[in-house]
Amino acid sequence: MLKVGVIGVGMMGYNHVRIYKELEKSKEKDIKLVGVSDTNEERVNEIAKEFDTKAFTDYKELINEGVDLVSIVVPTFLHKKIASEFIEAGVNVLVEKPIADSIENAKELIALAKKNNVKLAVGHVERFNPAILELKKHIEKGVLGDIVTMTAKRVGPMTSRITDVGVILDLSVHDIDAMHFLCGSKVKDVYAKAKNVKHPSDAEDYALIIASFENDIDGIIETNRLTPHKTRSLNIIGTQGIAYLDYIDQSLTIYDDEWVKKAKIEHSEPLKNELLNVIESVENGVEPLVCGEDGLHALEVALKALKSSK
């Protein structure tokens, strides 16, 4: 039995807890949710009661519970500190994106995980969207021909939930990683424009990023927290067709010279797919779909986009 825990039980952390408990109760995986941790004592006790597990205000207590895998869902600046303590204790770690608040800290986490022979996964959940996985198959089959450009739009209303980073590190990293995954190449050049329009902090709430990949594919990413309507889309133009993907309704439509084709997609929850992948990577001793190096690449591109915008 794999013992799992969650640190940070805000909105995203709550979903980690919920899915782990669902997997435990359904016996889909041989796991046990041994505890949850948060500095908000009232909140963590409430969540622990709802999901019939233990509550801790000190996350280190999860190590004493013998946890094998922990989800770290806390503000970015805490990722390195908390993840390091669990990795050094021999615990496998899933850290939410971005992997860390600096390149140096991300590299230290990756090196530490290798040294202690534990899995380090990064929560780039869009890779696990069924529509993205289906699109990846069609690209590899050559349905679109050679990819020329990828254009992503990730916009929506302002939220008070994320206060420690702007839209590039909070939102654009999703599309940076998805594009990296789909085209199978790293970014070689990045240019960006970003600004703060109305967010109460100084962080950027609008960004436009142009990224050129090593295999000469270009990516354009528009991100903001300004629009009242939430949009999560990705369009890919190839030499033989164009694909339109919607992350929210998990749909994929492909056009070529003769046909319009709607992909048959079995809808599922991306976060559940992600947690299953991490659990299986621990069980089978293989790398998770989104490893530390993937998280590092997305962070490097995002930070260089921030630098470019300034």
Side-chain angles (χ1 to χ4, degrees):
M1 178 181 289
L2 201 69
K3 295 180 179 180
V4 301
V6 178
I7 301 168
V9 290
M11 189 175 82
M12 191 64 179
Y14 175 91
N15 287 321
H16 280 247
V17 177
R18 171 181 58 81
I19 293 169
Y20 280 136
K21 196 64 181 182
E22 287 173 2
L23 293 173
E24 176 189 329
K25 292 177 72 175
S26 69
K27 301 190 184 303
E28 186 173 348
K29 283 293 175 184
D30 188 18
I31 67 169
K32 180 174 177 57
L33 178 67
V34 298
V36 294
S37 175
D38 198 285
T39 54
N40 184 327
E41 186 173 3
E42 181 180 355
R43 171 72 174 173
V44 75
N45 285 332
E46 176 187 313
I47 300 302
K49 183 178 180 181
E50 180 179 352
F51 293 102
D52 188 26
T53 190
K54 294 181 180 179
F56 303 103
T57 53
D58 182 356
Y59 61 82
K60 295 177 185 178
E61 290 296 325
L62 286 171
I63 297 175
N64 297 333
E65 292 294 315
V67 70
D68 301 300
L69 168 65
V70 65
S71 285
I72 297 175
V73 198
V74 298
T76 306
F77 73 93
L78 292 171
H79 286 185
K80 162 64 166 37
K81 178 183 187 305
I82 297 176
S84 294
E85 293 182 50
F86 280 88
I87 291 171
E88 288 176 337
V91 178
N92 301 282
V93 166
L94 165 60
V95 61
E96 266 300 337
K97 58 80 199 164
I99 182 173
D101 56 353
S102 70
I103 302 298
E104 180 183 2
N105 284 342
K107 288 181 176 179
E108 284 185 24
L109 283 180
I110 293 168
L112 202 59
K114 289 180 179 177
K115 178 183 176 182
N116 288 274
N117 195 30
V118 299
K119 302 305 175 190
L120 171 61
V122 186
H124 286 282
V125 71
E126 294 291 26
R127 280 210 202 187
F128 299 89
N129 190 301
I132 283 287
L133 295 171
E134 187 69 19
L135 178 55
K136 176 74 169 174
K137 293 178 186 176
H138 287 290
I139 290 173
E140 290 177 344
K141 288 178 183 176
V143 172
L144 299 175
D146 295 327
I147 305 304
V148 180
T149 62
M150 301 177 285
T151 304
K153 185 183 289 282
R154 187 173 295 268
V155 301
M158 189 179 297
T159 175
S160 59
R161 185 170 61 88
I162 305 296
T163 58
D164 60 326
V165 292
V167 293
I168 291 179
L169 281 170
D170 181 40
L171 297 177
S172 300
V173 287
H174 280 302
D175 298 296
I176 291 167
D177 182 70
M179 289 180 176
H180 170 215
F181 174 61
L182 290 170
C183 77
S185 180
K186 291 185 175 182
V187 172
K188 63 177 180 179
D189 298 303
V190 62
Y191 171 80
K193 298 287 286 184
K195 56 190 171 185
N196 177 282
V197 179
K198 61 180 183 180
H199 197 280
S201 74
D202 292 331
E204 79 285 350
D205 52 20
Y206 163 82
L208 182 64
I209 299 171
I210 300 175
S212 296
F213 291 79
E214 291 174 353
N215 57 2
D216 292 329
I217 295 173
D218 293 319
I220 301 169
I221 301 169
E222 180 184 359
T223 312
N224 75 47
R225 288 205 184 279
L226 303 172
T227 58
H229 177 66
K230 187 176 181 179
T231 299
R232 302 283 188 268
S233 65
L234 175 66
N235 302 334
I236 295 188
I237 297 174
T239 55
Q240 295 179 25
I242 181 170
Y244 295 96
L245 181 147
D246 190 303
Y247 285 101
I248 297 173
D249 64 20
Q250 297 183 3
S251 65
L252 173 64
T253 305
I254 295 175
Y255 293 75
D256 61 22
D257 290 337
E258 298 181 30
W259 301 96
V260 179
K261 305 171 185 177
K262 286 191 176 292
K264 292 182 179 179
I265 296 173
E266 184 176 342
H267 291 201
S268 59
E269 186 176 0
L271 182 59
K272 181 179 178 181
N273 297 338
E274 177 182 82
L275 296 186
L276 281 169
N277 175 261
V278 177
I279 290 168
E280 288 164 4
S281 78
V282 174
E283 289 176 336
N284 301 322
V286 297
E287 282 300 295
L289 182 61
V290 188
C291 63
E293 284 80 1
D294 294 321
L296 173 62
H297 174 259
L299 178 63
E300 285 176 328
V301 176
L303 290 177
K304 287 176 181 175
L306 271 173
K307 184 177 180 181
S308 171
S309 71
K310 293 175 181 178

